[in-house]
Amino acid sequence: MVDIKINDEIRLTDDKFLMIAGPCSVESEEQIIRVATQLRKIGVNVLRGGAFKPRTCPDSFQGLGEEGLKLLAKARDATGMAIITEVMDMDELPLVAEYADILQVGSRNSQNFSLLKKISRYDKPVLLKRGFGNTVDELISSSKYLSMNGNKRIMFSERGIRTFEQSTRFTLDISAIPVLHEKTEYPVIIDPSHPAGVNRYVEPLALGGTAAGADGLMIEVHPDPPKALSDSAQQLTVPQFQNLYTKVKNINAVLGKTVI
Ligand code: PEP
Ligand code: MN
């Protein structure tokens, strides 16, 4: 696996497991600073939070935009955490790249080849989510657009695919972990929140992905999930996350990896 240097302190290597956590969307200064501080205390080093949100319905909360990026930067200053946020659009890319330590490409943009080509010109770590209608080979092809100018700091994210199964929001494809490991040199980060769709399924999916050899997790955590402006049902409370974090640490100890 390639080493992914995120900042001077965080480097994802073979013997490490990266934990990313934070709310689906940045909603207010109070919300993001509060949850970031709590997550940092637990040991999380990378904070997630959407500022530009890819919502299925235009009536849904679209994110705070640039204000959201500024709040993420404040959370980074307050806690020392690195920040990851989604870039949806070529026009926003320079702005998002100014703030983010890791650029996130969402499931819906996984095959937006023009956007991927533009991102390839930035020397930044990228988390490339799998399109929910894409095969593993299509995901790998998308990553080649990101690396076309020499950037090797690419992480895949399996976040569930569409299948005939309707009892969860998406079907988490755990098989993608060994297949991606066999075919590529990039780490695989499991997002258990979006396939689960409800918070009680997040833990089993997270633990399954960890045991199957994922290189990290990205989990949605909100200080008060019922009040969340997006993905309210699937976000974990901080105590729920803390409980899960301990289990993830224990599984990784068995596998010889340290959670960073
Ligand atoms: C997200 O992680 O904020 C998100 C929108 O996920 P996805 O692109 O996988 O739907
Ligand atoms: Mn979400």
Side-chain angles (χ1 to χ4, degrees):
M1 187 177 97
V2 291
D3 289 5
I4 310 282
K5 182 178 187 286
I6 291 165
N7 61 24
D8 288 342
E9 278 139 51
I10 312 162
R11 186 186 282 265
L12 178 57
T13 51
D14 280 322
D15 55 344
K16 300 278 185 328
F17 183 94
L18 183 65
M19 183 61 90
I20 304 171
C24 179
S25 301
V26 180
E27 298 169 0
S28 68
E29 179 164 347
E30 199 269 327
Q31 174 237 21
I32 195 70
I33 300 287
R34 188 166 143 213
V35 78
T37 309
Q38 292 170 330
L39 291 170
R40 182 62 150 170
K41 248 188 228 151
I42 293 170
V44 178
N45 296 309
V46 183
L47 175 70
R48 67 150 286 148
F52 294 93
K53 294 300 300 176
R55 305 307 302 282
T56 302
C57 179
D59 299 335
S60 307
F61 176 61
Q62 300 287 308
L64 296 179
E66 185 169 3
E67 177 59 19
L69 298 175
K70 288 187 176 150
L71 296 179
L72 282 169
K74 272 195 181 173
R76 172 173 50 208
D77 291 345
T79 61
M81 296 167 94
I83 58 177
I84 174 169
T85 196
E86 177 165 353
V87 56
M88 286 211 306
D89 186 291
M90 283 181 274
D91 296 342
E92 292 153 9
L93 174 58
L95 181 71
V96 177
E98 249 179 63
Y99 288 91
D101 298 296
I102 306 171
L103 293 169
Q104 177 176 329
V105 178
S107 188
R108 289 154 191 83
N109 269 320
S110 196
Q111 287 193 308
N112 183 341
F113 304 122
S114 324
L115 177 64
L116 299 177
K117 278 190 212 169
K118 287 252 157 67
I119 293 175
S120 75
R121 300 204 194 111
Y122 288 77
D123 184 27
K124 282 228 171 229
V126 183
L127 182 80
L128 174 64
K129 289 195 136 195
R130 178 180 181 180
F132 50 72
N134 288 157
T135 63
V136 169
D137 282 340
E138 285 166 338
L139 175 63
I140 294 170
S141 295
S142 288
S143 73
K144 292 179 182 161
Y145 281 95
L146 291 173
S147 63
M148 61 198 284
N149 288 309
N151 189 5
K152 289 253 180 188
R153 288 190 290 167
I154 297 168
M155 296 177 275
F156 291 118
S157 177
E158 161 59 35
R159 47 77 72 211
I161 52 175
R162 277 267 153 81
T163 66
F164 55 81
E165 183 53 64
Q166 301 289 302
S167 54
T168 51
R169 195 174 173 195
F170 296 94
T171 301
L172 183 69
D173 180 13
I174 285 190
S175 329
I177 301 168
V179 177
L180 285 166
H181 281 159
E182 194 172 88
K183 293 189 164 184
T184 80
E185 50 186 346
Y186 302 129
V188 182
I189 308 296
I190 291 291
D191 168 352
S193 303
H194 290 88
V198 289
N199 64 11
R200 66 186 180 279
Y201 298 155
V202 171
E203 180 171 306
L205 298 187
L207 298 180
T210 305
D215 305 288
L217 288 169
M218 180 161 81
I219 300 181
E220 288 189 342
V221 184
H222 192 284
D224 190 2
K227 295 220 175 85
L229 299 179
S230 59
D231 287 347
S232 158
Q234 73 198 26
Q235 301 205 56
L236 299 187
T237 62
V238 173
Q240 283 170 335
F241 174 78
Q242 175 143 38
N243 184 42
L244 171 57
Y245 185 88
T246 305
K247 294 182 185 177
V248 169
K249 249 170 101 169
N250 290 339
I251 293 177
N252 275 295
V254 171
L255 298 173
K257 290 193 272 186
T258 313
V259 179
I260 56 167

